[in-house]
Amino acid sequence: MTRPLYLPATVLFALVVWAEDGARRAAPFYSAASIVNSATNVAGDLAPNMIATVYGAGLSYVTRALQVEDIKAGELPTVLPSAGVRVYVGLVAAQLYYVSPTQINFLIPCIFKPGETDLRITLDGHAGPTVRIKLLEAAPAMFQLDEKTVIATRPDGSLIDKDKPATGGEVIVLYATGLGPTEPEAVYGKLPVRAAPIQRMADFKVFLDDAEVSPNRILYAGVAPGFAGLYQVNLCLPEKLGADPQIRMVIGEKSSPEGVHLAARASE
């Protein structure tokens, strides 16, 4: 009859420490398909100066969001305290907004041009796979309250939602990422301190229920000062407005996803 094996306490402790250390030192796991636009969760819709998300396993030792004290001289960090993780786009370290063992939110460096490049994540020097990603010049996407409704505010910062919907003729502020280069251009790692409109303003359009909003109603489309990778669009809504219209942003031939709506009251 096989007898159970009893290990001395010191040996057992050493094995536990070895197992935990091995787990901590495992390389991060992810794929090109798990790298998405943070606003839409759609893979492939990536652009320079965009907030992106990578999903995976073993990405970080801790869960931690960017804190005010992590920002030094107006520059975002490329590593968060105790996390041990870095994201490299090409050979450039990306700035981090949030890390956890299964998710990282990061800023695609603004210094890149459209085209293919590599992405790699390291955890205490242990590298995950090098995956190929494609960067577009622009990949417009609006941040959302839920799967059907975009985030929009009034100029005073108050939220527009089903309880306080927008009305015709009102000025609203929409929040997006992926609207492309600005004038002046963004600076790698630096928080923008002033307004900077997008360079392709002539190609930028907003549609409500597939009807183009007059360009003179787009009061501003550019970076949101104080937030790298975040853009804002100040829009004067048409006087005649349908209830909860579908809303899209378009730059050239690239459109934000369909099926999202602005919380709005129909004009009488």
Side-chain angles (χ1 to χ4, degrees):
M1 181 162 110
T2 303
R3 299 179 62 184
L5 176 64
Y6 293 96
L7 296 176
T10 54
V11 175
L12 183 60
F13 177 78
L15 287 174
V16 170
V17 170
W18 177 86
E20 290 181 348
D21 185 64
R24 284 175 62 87
R25 293 179 180 277
F29 177 78
Y30 50 90
S31 68
S34 67
I35 302 167
V36 302
N37 182 313
S38 291
T40 63
N41 252 9
V42 174
D45 280 353
L46 304 174
N49 200 38
M50 166 183 277
I51 303 171
T53 297
V54 56
Y55 297 105
L59 301 181
S60 170
Y61 296 145
V62 300
T63 296
R64 195 181 190 283
L66 177 72
Q67 305 293 323
V68 173
E69 57 267 25
D70 300 325
I71 302 171
K72 309 297 184 184
E75 187 165 332
L76 293 168
T78 58
V79 62
L80 295 178
S82 303
V85 61
R86 287 179 170 84
V87 178
Y88 292 93
V89 180
L91 299 177
V92 181
Q95 280 72 30
L96 304 180
Y97 278 111
Y98 172 86
V99 299
S100 79
T102 58
Q103 178 180 339
I104 299 172
N105 294 353
F106 66 100
L107 179 66
I108 298 178
C110 60
I111 60 178
F112 284 89
K113 301 298 181 184
E116 292 190 348
T117 190
D118 293 330
L119 183 142
R120 179 171 50 93
I121 296 175
T122 65
L123 185 59
D124 272 354
H126 294 263
T130 297
V131 297
R132 201 72 173 161
I133 61 172
K134 183 178 181 179
L135 300 180
L136 308 174
E137 182 179 19
M142 287 174 282
F143 286 97
Q144 297 171 214
L145 278 174
D146 53 47
E147 63 179 13
K148 294 289 187 181
T149 313
V150 298
I151 294 175
T153 66
R154 295 178 168 86
D156 63 3
S158 59
L159 185 66
I160 293 171
D161 58 19
K162 64 179 181 179
D163 296 322
K164 296 181 180 179
T167 57
E170 188 174 14
V171 173
I172 66 169
V173 181
L174 302 163
Y175 298 92
T177 194
L179 299 190
T182 60
E183 186 59 48
E185 294 184 349
V187 177
Y188 166 71
K190 289 286 189 178
L191 293 175
V193 296
R194 58 182 61 87
I198 60 174
Q199 291 182 7
R200 297 184 62 184
M201 196 66 210
D203 297 327
F204 180 74
K205 299 176 182 179
V206 177
F207 287 84
L208 294 173
D209 282 340
D210 292 326
E212 183 182 351
V213 177
S214 174
N216 61 17
R217 288 184 171 270
I218 302 174
L219 308 179
Y220 173 75
V223 298
F227 300 94
L230 181 67
Y231 298 75
Q232 71 178 68
V233 176
N234 300 354
L235 182 70
C236 182
L237 293 171
E239 301 295 335
K240 187 175 182 180
L241 191 66
D244 299 335
Q246 178 178 259
I247 185 167
R248 291 187 299 124
M249 292 182 183
V250 175
I251 299 180
E253 297 181 354
K254 189 63 180 176
S255 172
S256 62
E258 297 183 353
V260 293
H261 299 259
L262 171 69
R265 181 184 300 115
S267 303
E268 296 181 357

